Amino acid sequence: MTRRGLRLSLLGSVLLLLSSAAMAAPRHANDAGLNWSAGGAHGSVPWNIVVLLTLLTLLPALLLAMTPFVRLLVIFHFLRQALGTQTTPSNQTLVGLSLILTYFLMQPVGSAVYQDALRPLEKGSVDVLEAVDRGSVPLRGFMLRFAREKDLALFLDLARQPRPAHASDLSMRIVLPAYILSELKAGFQIGAVLFLPFLVIDMVVAAITTSIGMLQLPPVVISTPLKILLFVMVDGWNLVVGSLMKSFG
């Protein structure tokens, strides 16, 4: 991907992360700062449609690449498997919950992007590429907080780039893949920890049913209600979501 293409992709993430703040901002039909066409007002509408459709196409990849969505979704799927409830909650429910929590976590970053990049762009004081550079700073800072040094070093070696003096000097080409790997590792670690207590229940129930000769009744039939009851009694959703939110603090 060329440098200009990467900047435009970053601009897409900036705009998408800040959708709520941007919706609250004033709109002007003849705003010169948002004129994407060099041909005047008559050519701006088709170009805006093209850019909008492109951003909608890139939305899933941008959401996965620059937000905690991956970690949250992986953990919730591990939790569902540990409970043994198969399709409850449904995939749509887990995705929706992950999206809401992602918005909650990324809203401060989106506000910073709006203040630093989108407002100057709307006023016409900066061009699109400069707005991308400004907007990428809060995003890079957020991802660097959770990207492991080991993963950053891996992609620096693969790109054959020298190690900078400061982490803030790393390019998005290095930060993005390192951040995704770090989030996957964190998601699997937390998911494994959540799995352990439910695994103990499965083992205890299986040992008891085998010892008393209940071979015709699968242990999972007995252990699943017990796991759900335990999860409800300890207010599991509150504990899991609260711990996840604090892990990003």
Side-chain angles (χ1 to χ4, degrees), residues 56-79:
L56 291 177
T57 304
L58 295 174
L59 175 61
L62 295 174
L63 184 62
L64 291 175
M66 298 184 175
T67 65
F69 181 80
V70 172
R71 183 194 299 193
L72 297 173
L73 191 59
V74 168
I75 292 172
F76 290 145
H77 275 285
F78 266 104
L79 178 61

Side-chain angles (χ1 to χ4, degrees), residues 32-52:
L34 295 178
N35 190 352
W36 294 81
S37 171
H42 295 288
S44 62
V45 174
W47 277 109
N48 287 338
I49 294 175
V50 170
V51 172
L52 178 61

Side-chain angles (χ1 to χ4, degrees), residues 160-171:
R160 298 184 179 182
Q161 294 183 6
R163 298 192 178 187
H166 303 283
S168 58
D169 297 330
L170 290 169
S171 64

Side-chain angles (χ1 to χ4, degrees), residues 12-160:
S13 66
V14 169
L15 296 175
L16 293 170
L17 286 173
L18 219 12
S19 57
S20 60
M23 289 175 63
R27 297 291 192 273
H28 300 285
N30 296 324
D31 192 347
L34 295 178
N35 190 352
W36 294 81
S37 171
H42 295 288
S44 62
V45 174
W47 277 109
N48 287 338
I49 294 175
V50 170
V51 172
L52 178 61
L53 293 177
T54 302
L55 295 180
L56 291 177
T57 304
L58 295 174
L59 175 61
L62 295 174
L63 184 62
L64 291 175
M66 298 184 175
T67 65
F69 181 80
V70 172
R71 183 194 299 193
L72 297 173
L73 191 59
V74 168
I75 292 172
F76 290 145
H77 275 285
F78 266 104
L79 178 61
R80 185 176 66 180
Q81 290 293 106
L83 287 171
T85 54
Q86 302 300 324
T87 58
T88 304
S90 64
N91 289 333
Q92 292 83 354
T93 303
L94 295 182
V95 171
L97 178 59
S98 301
L99 285 172
I100 292 173
L101 296 179
T102 299
Y103 167 77
F104 177 84
L105 292 169
M106 296 302 295
Q107 197 276 334
V109 179
S111 297
V113 173
Y114 178 74
Q115 295 293 332
D116 298 341
L118 291 184
R119 289 195 65 183
L121 181 64
E122 289 180 349
K123 295 178 180 179
S125 57
V126 298
D127 58 12
V128 175
L129 296 182
E130 186 176 352
V132 170
D133 290 335
R134 292 188 178 188
S136 63
V137 174
L139 291 174
R140 186 188 296 110
F142 176 83
M143 289 187 287
L144 284 174
R145 286 175 54 194
F146 304 103
R148 297 190 307 161
E149 184 178 351
K150 182 178 180 181
D151 294 326
L152 293 171
L154 170 65
F155 286 99
L156 275 175
D157 293 339
L158 293 176
R160 298 184 179 182

Side-chain angles (χ1 to χ4, degrees), residues 83 198 226-237:
L83 287 171
F198 299 106
L226 293 177
K227 290 188 291 186
I228 295 175
L229 180 62
L230 175 64
F231 190 73
V232 172
M233 288 179 60
V234 300
D235 198 4
W237 286 111

